[in-house]
Amino acid sequence: MNKYMYYCKFWLECVGIFDRHGKWCYVLMAMSLLVNVSAIVAGFAELIHVTDDLQLTAELMSAWLLTFNALARLLCLIINRKKMNYLRTVIETGKVSEGQRSEADDPILEYYDQVGLRFCRVYGSVILLVGVVMLVQPVPGILLGYERKLPFPTRYPFSVNTTIGYSVAYVHLVISSCSVVVHVLAFDTWFIFLNHHACSNFHLLQTWLEEISEVDPRREHEKISRCIQLHQNVNKFAADIEDVFNGSIIQLFLITTVNTCISGYALAKSHNEVRLMVKHFSSIFGLILQALILNWCGQFIEDKSIGVSLAISRSKLYELNDRHQRDLSLIMLVRAQKPTSLSAGKFYSLSLPTFTNVRFRSMYSAYRIDMPNLYQA
């Protein structure tokens, strides 16, 4: 049992992906879908009735895409539930380096898993804070006796101008927002932890390769065989991660890019209204943070893969026999020319340079859309 996996495991159990309550997991998945769909329907019902107010339309589209983004994450988790549980088993049993490592290697793996846990907890705290800020932004207006407004524009089959109607609508939005946050955390924290676990095994491989010439010459073949086996296992683990997440991540990036542009436009059109500025700024911050984390994980695993070839170059290859030199040189060339990396949709590479290009263009697009209005002001 991996003792550092409890945080992301908790969120996945909340949506029924990991089985903790028997058949109740199916009830949790059904409830999660129902809450998300109800929020999407309520937002879309309001959206189709707004045709002449671009600011309100942008605000509606932003909230609607946030919910749709969370639904895409949930569907990915549900569709790939068996694969998610398989990856969980791989981590809990240490299958990537099973039979290859010794007790002296455990601190390396535990360090990266611990870092992954801390990363997930910090990221989770920030996402929870963003969700709370977006939900409580109409509260000051209510306390000061201003017009009661919902956190997100939605349409219900009853009047929200009455106290009971407003209370029911607000509770529904709180529940749906909590559901959105849970789905985002379940997807993202699991992706983060999986990447850190893969990187821990890459780092372990680097350590073995750097020390390859220090072992007993009679055990060189055994040690190199262990390195090659671990190299194959960790690459297969990274391929499994990409196979599960790559289709969903490209959808998330497309939705996030469009939503960042729309939220930026809505922020520019908020006319210094504090409530709207807080909401749209929180939305943009959360969207950029999510995209940054996913791309950073891809960059992290790519850097660790390149580190394998660097570790071989730092080792004393000249002290090994010709056959072993050839085997290690082949690994070094493969990792240097084609490092292990994660992609979205098989054509979008998860990396920090890609992130900066896409985020800059989406924010620049929002600026260009509203630039005539800024000049008029």
Side-chain angles (χ1 to χ4, degrees):
M1 175 68 72
N2 190 301
K3 62 182 179 181
Y4 300 110
M5 197 173 62
Y6 70 87
Y7 187 79
C8 51
K9 181 180 175 183
F10 168 77
W11 295 113
L12 288 164
E13 287 177 346
C14 288
V15 294
I17 303 303
F18 286 172
D19 190 356
R20 184 178 61 175
H21 304 293
K23 293 184 179 180
W24 281 102
C25 63
Y26 298 103
V27 177
L28 291 173
M29 285 189 285
M31 290 177 59
S32 299
L33 282 172
L34 181 62
V35 171
N36 258 280
V37 171
S38 67
I40 290 175
V41 170
F44 187 74
E46 178 69 15
L47 181 62
I48 60 178
H49 286 84
V50 178
T51 57
D52 56 347
D53 190 338
L54 288 179
Q55 179 184 354
L56 183 57
T57 301
E59 186 177 351
L60 285 165
M61 283 292 297
S62 176
W64 189 75
L65 287 173
L66 279 175
T67 310
F68 192 79
N69 203 344
L71 180 61
R73 283 175 162 88
L74 178 62
L75 290 175
C76 171
L77 295 174
I78 293 176
I79 293 172
N80 297 288
R81 183 168 180 262
K82 290 184 178 180
K83 294 180 180 179
M84 299 293 181
N85 280 276
Y86 167 74
L87 293 173
R88 171 192 178 183
T89 303
V90 169
I91 292 179
E92 290 181 341
T93 59
K95 189 175 179 180
V96 177
S97 54
E98 185 179 13
Q100 309 294 326
R101 71 176 189 271
S102 62
E103 292 184 1
D105 300 322
D106 289 342
I108 296 176
L109 301 179
E110 290 186 359
Y111 171 76
Y112 277 87
D113 287 347
Q114 187 176 11
V115 171
L117 170 62
R118 292 175 179 173
F119 205 102
C120 290
R121 293 176 67 177
V122 172
Y123 174 73
S125 300
V126 173
I127 294 298
L128 289 170
L129 178 62
V130 170
V132 170
V133 169
M134 295 183 70
L135 279 174
V136 302
Q137 40 92 16
V139 172
I142 298 174
L143 296 178
L144 295 174
Y146 299 149
E147 181 183 0
R148 291 181 297 193
K149 292 185 178 181
L150 294 171
F152 308 102
T154 46
R155 181 173 291 269
Y156 293 94
F158 52 84
S159 175
V160 296
N161 295 323
T162 63
T163 302
I164 296 177
Y166 180 84
S167 300
V168 171
Y170 191 85
V171 169
H172 173 259
L173 288 177
V174 169
I175 294 174
S176 59
S177 298
C178 290
S179 178
V180 167
V181 170
V182 169
H183 300 159
V184 169
L185 290 179
F187 184 96
D188 292 359
T189 57
W190 185 227
F191 183 77
I192 292 169
F193 192 84
L194 288 172
N195 275 272
H196 276 79
H197 189 74
C199 290
S200 69
N201 285 278
F202 270 124
H203 190 89
L204 178 61
L205 179 58
Q206 292 176 33
T207 303
W208 287 359
L209 290 170
E210 290 177 354
E211 300 172 353
I212 196 69
S213 61
E214 300 176 7
V215 301
D216 189 337
R218 291 171 296 182
R219 298 186 58 209
E220 281 182 0
H221 181 73
E222 176 188 350
K223 188 70 174 180
I224 290 177
S225 298
R226 290 173 61 194
C227 290
I228 293 174
Q229 184 62 48
L230 179 58
H231 183 246
Q232 293 174 346
N233 289 347
V234 70
N235 275 291
K236 182 181 182 302
F237 183 68
D240 289 338
I241 296 175
E242 181 176 4
D243 181 58
V244 172
F245 289 96
N246 85 90
S248 299
I249 288 179
I250 187 62
Q251 298 176 29
L252 298 179
F253 282 152
L254 291 174
I255 296 172
T256 300
T257 301
V258 174
N259 201 3
T260 304
C261 181
I262 293 174
S263 297
Y265 172 79
L267 177 63
K269 297 285 289 182
S270 59
H271 302 301
N272 295 327
E273 187 175 345
V274 176
R275 183 184 67 86
L276 293 178
M277 292 179 66
V278 169
K279 181 170 71 173
H280 294 308
F281 181 80
S282 300
S283 174
I284 293 172
F285 178 77
L287 291 168
I288 292 178
L289 178 63
Q290 292 170 26
L292 172 61
I293 293 301
L294 297 178
N295 279 278
W296 181 83
C297 287
Q299 184 70 55
F300 191 32
I301 201 169
E302 183 176 336
D303 291 344
K304 286 298 178 181
S305 176
I306 296 175
V308 172
S309 64
L310 298 177
I312 297 175
S313 66
R314 289 193 294 266
S315 64
K316 299 178 181 179
L317 286 177
Y318 54 84
E319 295 183 359
L320 305 178
N321 61 47
D322 294 341
R323 177 186 174 186
H324 295 159
Q325 289 184 34
R326 185 171 58 253
D327 292 339
L328 294 181
S329 297
L330 181 61
I331 296 177
M332 180 174 65
L333 289 173
V334 170
R335 290 282 69 85
Q337 295 177 2
K338 189 179 180 182
T340 301
S341 60
L342 301 178
S343 66
K346 299 296 184 181
F347 65 88
Y348 177 102
S349 177
L350 296 183
S351 63
L352 292 180
T354 309
F355 165 78
T356 54
N357 290 335
V358 173
R359 291 306 105 189
F360 172 77
R361 289 173 182 173
S362 61
M363 292 305 298
Y364 182 70
S365 298
Y367 167 75
R368 292 287 298 178
I369 289 173
D370 198 53
M371 190 166 61
N373 295 306
L374 294 176
Y375 283 151
Q376 291 177 6

